[in-house]
């Protein structure tokens, strides 16, 4: 199913928003679009909706299994407005958002569906889930000049850290159960990354609710949505493994010639398995075993 605009989708595509979880995929360029959509289909989302420029093509099988919404600039303010508009049109369902060349992993996702995971998360009275955006990158940038390869990507096994998130409305005291997380390429190549874009935490999974708005820094207007756990114990977290930062660093004229290699002594091959991310401490199973 294809819609010519967001307005048409919201007017005529309500059937795709009747039941969650729903994945919203924003296609910024033509890199790994099909693999991104296929990955999220296999996780068990009820609907996978691709917001993408009309010039981009999809394989026939994905045209049948995904919803396509034509959108010329699915990034920045347009992306935020779209997430908030879909959220307002579909109150009470679980939504997830990401960009192309990003892949969601959650604990035990090889044998359990996204719906099973969110059913447990709901029972724990949680309305949002913290995800860490973990950078992937190619080892050989001569062979893969856009830094993207699905065959043998690398990730950082260490170098991640968290800082207290100050509350400007409370004399900059730390916010309760909120932290700012850093690491990966945004940390190692921070001289090429604006300070306000260096965090790797993202509230990627949330249950839509009236007047709860996604902010520019991928937090929400409701402070409880931005917490990593409930007050009484640790909760599930997930990871979004992403080539997005590597792509940007190699496509930006200000950084592409300064970076000849993303690899360092803490680079390891990514195994495309949730077990590796759990072992590295890059997501948390909470009480879900």
């Amino acid at each position: 199913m294809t819609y010519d605009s967001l307005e048409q989708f919201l007017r005529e595509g309500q059937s795709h928003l009747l039941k969650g979880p729903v994945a919203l995929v924003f296609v910024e360029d033509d890199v790994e679009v099909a693999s991104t959509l296929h990955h999220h289909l296999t996780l068990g989302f009820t609907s996978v909706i691709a917001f993408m420029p009309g010039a981009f093509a999809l394989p026939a099988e994905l045209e049948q299994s995904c919803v396509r919404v034509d959108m010329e600039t699915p990034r920045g303010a347009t992306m935020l407005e779209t997430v908030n508009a879909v959220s307002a049109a579909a109150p009470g369902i679980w939504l997830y958002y990401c960009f192309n060349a990003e892949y969601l992993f959650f604990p035990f996702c090889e044998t359990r569906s996204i719906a099973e995971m969110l059913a447990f998360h709901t029972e724990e009275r949680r309305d949002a889930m913290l995800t860490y955006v973990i950078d992937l990158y190619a080892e050989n940038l001569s062979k893969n000049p856009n830094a993207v390869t699905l065959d043998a990507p690398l990730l950082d096994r260490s170098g991640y850290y968290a800082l207290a998130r100050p509350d400007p409305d409370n004399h900059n005291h730390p916010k309760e159960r909120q932290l700012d997380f850093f690491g990966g390429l945004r940390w190692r190549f921070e001289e090429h990354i604006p300070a306000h874009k260096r965090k790797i935490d993202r509230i990627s999974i949330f249950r839509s609710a009236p007047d709860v708005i996604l902010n520019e820094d991928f937090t929400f207007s409701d402070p409880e949505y931005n917490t990593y756990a409930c007050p009484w114990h640790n909760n599930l977290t997930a990871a979004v493994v992403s080539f997005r930062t590597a792509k940007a660093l190699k496509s930006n004229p200000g950084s592409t010639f300064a970076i000849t290699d993303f690899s360092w002594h803490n680079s390891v091959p990514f195994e495309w398995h949730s077990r590796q991310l759990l072992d590295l401490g890059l997501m948390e199973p909470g009480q879900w075993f």
Side-chain angles (χ1 to χ4, degrees):
M1 180 68 72
T2 299
Y3 296 91
D4 294 335
S5 65
L6 174 63
E7 292 72 24
Q8 184 192 14
F9 170 70
L10 294 176
R11 187 172 61 250
E12 303 176 10
Q14 283 293 321
S15 62
H16 305 295
L17 301 174
L18 294 177
K19 183 180 179 181
V22 172
L24 312 177
V25 180
F26 293 88
V27 179
E28 299 178 295
D29 54 37
D30 61 356
V31 177
E32 294 299 339
V33 177
S35 68
T36 304
L37 297 175
H38 178 74
H39 175 84
H40 292 92
L41 284 168
T42 63
L43 293 179
F45 282 98
T46 303
S47 297
V48 175
I49 304 170
F51 299 89
M52 57 193 301
F56 293 175
L58 278 180
E61 66 272 16
L62 287 174
E63 289 183 349
Q64 299 300 316
S65 53
C66 295
V67 179
R68 174 178 181 148
V69 179
D70 285 346
M71 180 176 290
E72 291 310 306
T73 56
R75 63 173 68 89
T78 302
M79 174 265 176
L80 294 174
E81 292 166 3
T82 300
V83 172
N84 289 325
V86 173
S87 177
I93 73 166
W94 284 97
L95 298 172
Y96 160 78
Y97 63 89
C98 71
F99 300 91
N100 61 298
E102 294 192 327
Y103 308 86
L104 174 67
F105 282 80
F106 54 86
F108 324 119
C109 61
E110 291 77 19
T111 57
R112 303 182 191 179
S113 71
I114 184 73
E116 289 177 284
M117 188 265 286
L118 290 176
F120 177 84
H121 204 54
T122 301
E123 290 173 357
E124 294 209 315
R125 291 181 286 170
R126 298 289 288 167
D127 292 317
M129 181 177 291
L130 172 66
T131 61
Y132 305 106
V133 181
I134 306 303
D135 292 321
L136 298 182
Y137 46 91
E139 180 176 14
N140 188 333
L141 295 182
S142 298
K143 182 179 178 181
N144 306 105
N146 65 354
V148 178
T149 175
L150 298 187
D151 295 333
L154 302 178
L155 56 70
D156 289 2
R157 66 180 177 181
S158 64
Y160 303 96
Y161 66 97
L163 298 176
R165 180 173 291 169
D167 185 353
D169 297 326
N170 188 25
H171 308 289
N172 280 330
H173 292 310
K175 292 185 177 182
E176 181 184 0
R177 292 175 288 118
Q178 295 188 44
L179 295 170
D180 291 328
F181 295 87
F182 302 88
L185 300 182
R186 293 170 186 257
W187 169 61
R188 291 201 282 123
F189 296 91
E190 65 178 9
E191 66 272 21
H192 300 294
I193 306 289
H196 69 285
K197 292 185 178 294
R198 291 175 188 164
K199 296 195 304 110
I200 63 168
D201 51 275
R202 185 192 292 177
I203 308 300
S204 299
I205 306 171
F206 68 99
R207 186 157 54 179
S208 54
D211 302 322
V212 176
I213 302 300
L214 178 65
N215 300 317
E216 183 182 4
D217 63 352
F218 301 131
T219 64
F220 280 84
S221 56
D222 183 341
E224 188 62 29
Y225 274 53
N226 304 325
T227 57
Y228 55 80
C230 61
W232 48 90
H233 64 231
N234 289 341
N235 292 115
L236 278 157
T237 60
V240 178
V241 297
S242 172
F243 289 102
R244 190 168 181 245
T245 298
K247 283 192 305 171
L249 287 170
K250 286 308 295 179
S251 62
N252 189 325
S255 56
T256 184
F257 299 110
I259 299 172
T260 58
D261 189 2
F262 284 125
S263 302
W264 66 322
H265 63 281
N266 281 318
S267 296
V268 295
F270 179 50
E271 300 171 3
W272 294 101
H273 201 286
S274 64
R275 178 192 60 252
Q276 181 185 26
L277 296 166
L278 286 165
D279 290 345
L280 292 174
L282 298 176
M283 58 185 180
E284 165 68 53
Q287 313 303 306
W288 197 40
F289 300 108

